[in-house]
Amino acid sequence: MKHRWHRYLLLFFLVSLSIACNRKKPEYIIGVSQCSNDEWRVQMNKEILREALFYPEVKVDIRQAQDDNQRQINDIKEFIHQKVSLIIVAPNEAGAIAPVLEEAYEAGIPVVLVDRKIHSDKYTAYVGADNYEVGKKVGEYIINVLHGNGKIVEITGLKASTPAVERHRGMMDALKAAPGINVVASADAGWFKDRARMVVDTILKKHDRIDLIFAQNDRMAMGAYQEAFRQGREKDILFIGVDAVAGKGYGVESVAKGELNATFIYPTGGDKVMQVAMSILKGKKYARENYLSTAAVNRDNARIMQMQTEHIFSLDHKIELLHNRLDDYFLRYSAQKMFLYACVVILVLVGFLLFFLVRAFWMKNRLNTELSAQKKQLEQQRDQLQEQRDQLIVLSRQLEEATHAKLAFFTSVSHDFRTPLTLIADPVNQLLEEKHLGEREREMLEIVGRNVSILLRLITQILDFQKYECGKLVLCLSEFNVFEGIKEWTKAFHVLASRRHIHFAVTAEGNEADYVMIADAEKMERITYNLLSNAFKFTPEKGEIKIELSGRKQEQENLLCLKVSDTGIGMSEEHARHVFERFYQIDMQHTGSGIGLALVEAFVHLHHGQVKIETAEGKGTCFLIELPMKQEGEVKKMTEKNEVLKNLQEGAVLDAGTETLRQLPKQIETDKGNEKEVVLVIDDNQDVRNYVKMLLQDKYTVLEAVNGQEGIRQAMKYVPDIIICDVMMPVMDGIECCRRLKSELQTSHIPVMMLTAYTMDEQRIQGYDSGADAYLAKPFSAKLLLTRIRNLIDNRKRLKLMTDSMASMQKQSLGEVDKGFIEKLKALIDEKMGDSTLSVEDLGADLGLGRVQLYRKTKALTGYSPNELLRIARLKKAASLLASSEKTVAEITYEVGFSSPSYFTRCYKDYFGESPTDFLKRRNGKG
């Protein structure tokens, strides 16, 4: 009996021990499948685990797919097999992961998507930032930091992932507000830093100018910066990333260090994910779509975020420390529990165990209170970040209002231009009616008249477009035959087509009388004019341009179909998508106002119609317009000759004549007996060529070329004395033309003067780098042009004489004594040129020769007298000091041995063809 009691006692003790040692099984198991193991997801995992501490009944199982679709699918299938309570997934690719998540969803397991979505609606909830909104904020920031103009590169994440697609779409939608910003390249780096370096290396080699690189996460942005730093271009480029992960080597620190210009907060939201998951599991109310906020982090607030993050990390460390302590307490609690059960067997220890149980309970309450206080502090800091984001939004709105104000001001100024231009146009027309005008004066007045007409037309288009945007542009309806109208409106274009050997035709389907319509005739004419101007601009000689009219019915309504097609250069699909945007230009080779086609679209919409474009590079362009034949509204009778149409028609020999006509003028064959110097004028504007030719033809033989390529052929054939070249031209611009001229043996010696309407220092530097000898800004003074041409030709002749003299001296068979004499004389001049009292007698005394002996010997050996050699040496030294130092002209005058600045200036100008002051202005970019 006694033995049996011991046996029961031992069994009771073992059962109590097993109960004490086994913790309560978790009520919920949550499986977490992360697509990768980057620093952003590591931070999210920490937040999930930290939030899980507040739910003791939950066990969290986190797995990493390492960017492998199959591995992530296997992880999710294993969760399904384990019948977990809920699955949290960050999909690697939206399409590949969707089927297995649908399988889990249909099996009754709630699915919470994090950061990325899938191509299916079979999920329970989504938690993450709005990637489209992130992309849009990035686009708005780019517009702000680049002031609406620049070239940017986009480095995307994995193309098949939804964040990459939505961030790209958001950014591109935002950039539509700034046509001046062009995305010159876009590449997939798969979210990896090293891949970003590789693609950026390729892009930097292809593009000389990049203003900004946007990478869709901070790792790729830092990879892009490192590659740009390796190539020495990091100071010319701004770098923007997304994530704003704090910590050493991450995005926020890179912004604070100045490597990245900005990064956008992409909240990890681990705590929010856990809260949504628990609401689902406990049957509480929850939102299916949970979007987290974002904001920009730049150098102004990066340091604040670092300080706040360091504080948060410190709190996280404390929380982890407290968690470890809590585990210790739970272990103690388990030991005490075991001890309590032992006390049931050993009654003497019951009181002791109760004491420890109360003590453990008190410690747990205190720790919970501390954790709650720390959580409250974190929430306060999050509220502060939210407030900062709201302030940034307010600033963005203020910037947008300022932009609208600038546009209104520009429109007002354009309107004010009309009065003075009209006052110019009318006197010019009156002068042209004078019969006593000479041919030269009449040509100059015709140039003025045509260009005033162009300016008036451009200003009218700008004002009309602004009226359309403000909803104030209305139709002035009348009844007319549109086919007859188009034949009348296009008469001037037939002249242009004949000059350029372009086949131009206007045809109509069916009976011509069927094309009577009610519309705004003036706007229909301007639609036709703008489309034809565009066609002639991009169609080469011997091409074809057609206008075709037809009609069709749609829902009991008669429609006019207008088709304008050409066999020109066409355009890419990318350019075709933007061609109707205001101020959009395909490239700098094809200049224009950039609103002609935008105004076409506006006028078509006013007529309740639509316009489409069909084009391909090298295959021409076709514009298709459909609009109702009968517009609703008050119809005004059309006069026999509508004055507005008449004015537009008379102007139609057009700016197209000056902007699109590229007819090669008849070349002037040079005669060997002709003593006039030859000037080659390269400019795509016929009026500019005519004007320059008119100024020069009395003193020079003038050749003409319409673009850089033709100019090179003319220069190689005729070898002119000087070349005047425009900067902006089609086919080949002036910069490339100058570079080619200076690299050819036949033309490298010819001085090149650049004409430009732009005054930016960067363009001047580019021109001088290509070998240009001078710059002249438009509008230019005729007197200044003639003077610069004369100086450049005289300088080239002077240089040639010097070169010939030096060459002849080198060809002389000098003995060792003579060579030693020349070297000693040169060294003596270099040593004593600063002495303004230095004389020929002084030089002769140092060389052991008399004044007459020194003069005769020096003249015989060099062709120059001692005084001439001394003056040339001083002038060359002065030129070197002017080019390489910041000294004044007076300081250099006395340093090289001249006794008077005025005498020095006169000698310098006689020798080099320009004054020292002119040289300094040209060196500093002010000439």
Side-chain angles (χ1 to χ4, degrees), residues 472-634:
K472 297 180 179 179
L473 193 62
V474 295
L475 295 177
C476 182
L477 301 179
S478 60
E479 189 176 43
F480 63 99
N481 187 306
V482 67
F483 180 58
E484 294 296 331
I486 289 178
K487 287 195 295 184
E488 182 71 18
W489 301 334
T490 57
K491 282 183 179 179
F493 285 94
H494 286 283
V495 178
L496 180 59
S498 175
R499 288 181 184 175
R500 297 181 56 192
H501 308 291
I502 291 175
H503 177 68
F504 175 47
V506 180
T507 61
E509 189 177 280
N511 192 347
E512 295 182 8
D514 294 335
Y515 291 96
V516 175
M517 68 182 300
I518 295 176
D520 189 324
E522 186 263 346
K523 290 180 175 56
M524 289 296 297
E525 192 279 339
R526 289 172 68 183
I527 290 172
T528 307
Y529 167 77
N530 282 339
L531 291 179
L532 280 180
S533 294
N534 187 76
F536 275 91
K537 183 181 294 185
F538 297 102
T539 301
E541 290 192 5
K542 298 182 181 179
E544 183 178 8
I545 298 174
K546 293 189 295 183
I547 298 181
E548 300 171 73
L549 290 175
S550 60
R552 71 181 185 89
K553 275 195 173 183
Q554 178 180 334
E555 298 179 358
Q556 305 302 319
E557 186 177 32
N558 293 324
L559 297 181
L560 171 70
C561 301
L562 172 64
K563 180 179 178 182
V564 179
S565 60
D566 63 69
T567 59
I569 61 175
M571 66 187 78
S572 67
E573 183 180 347
E574 173 67 22
H575 290 311
R577 284 200 299 267
H578 303 288
V579 75
F580 293 114
E581 296 176 5
R582 61 178 180 180
F583 307 124
Y584 180 80
Q585 294 175 328
I586 293 178
D587 53 49
M588 292 303 291
Q589 301 288 346
H590 304 95
T591 57
S593 66
I595 64 171
L597 293 179
L599 207 56
V600 167
E601 185 182 47
F603 288 166
V604 171
H605 287 171
L606 273 177
H607 284 84
H608 310 289
Q610 59 180 354
V611 56
K612 295 184 292 185
I613 181 173
E614 295 176 358
T615 183
E617 289 189 270
K619 296 183 179 180
T621 303
C622 177
F623 288 93
L624 301 170
I625 294 175
E626 288 187 351
L627 45 84
M629 292 287 290
K630 308 294 182 183
Q631 300 292 326
E632 295 183 0
E634 182 182 354

Side-chain angles (χ1 to χ4, degrees), residues 107-171:
I109 302 174
V111 175
V112 178
L113 299 180
V114 179
D115 174 35
R116 304 177 180 183
K117 290 190 175 181
I118 58 174
H119 297 327
S120 172
D121 60 350
K122 292 184 178 181
Y123 61 88
T124 309
Y126 168 77
V127 180
D130 186 343
N131 284 292
Y132 175 85
E133 187 63 22
V134 171
K136 190 173 181 182
K137 293 291 184 185
V138 170
E140 292 170 352
Y141 183 85
I142 289 173
I143 293 173
N144 182 30
V145 76
L146 293 183
H147 306 295
N149 286 284
K151 296 183 178 180
I152 68 172
V153 171
E154 181 187 28
I155 309 299
T156 69
L158 198 62
K159 287 285 187 184
S161 63
T162 55
V165 174
E166 292 175 357
R167 290 177 190 177
H168 169 77
R169 185 165 56 87
M171 183 193 72

Side-chain angles (χ1 to χ4, degrees), residues 292-330:
L292 306 176
S293 302
T294 184
V297 177
N298 53 32
R299 295 195 70 179
D300 295 334
N301 58 9
R303 182 55 186 159
I304 295 173
M305 280 201 65
Q306 280 186 309
M307 293 171 64
Q308 291 175 342
T309 306
E310 288 171 3
H311 182 59
I312 291 172
F313 285 166
S314 174
L315 293 177
D316 285 345
H317 177 69
K318 290 179 181 180
I319 290 171
E320 196 146 352
L321 181 61
L322 292 173
H323 177 250
N324 293 334
R325 288 185 181 180
L326 192 59
D327 283 343
D328 291 341
Y329 291 134
F330 274 121

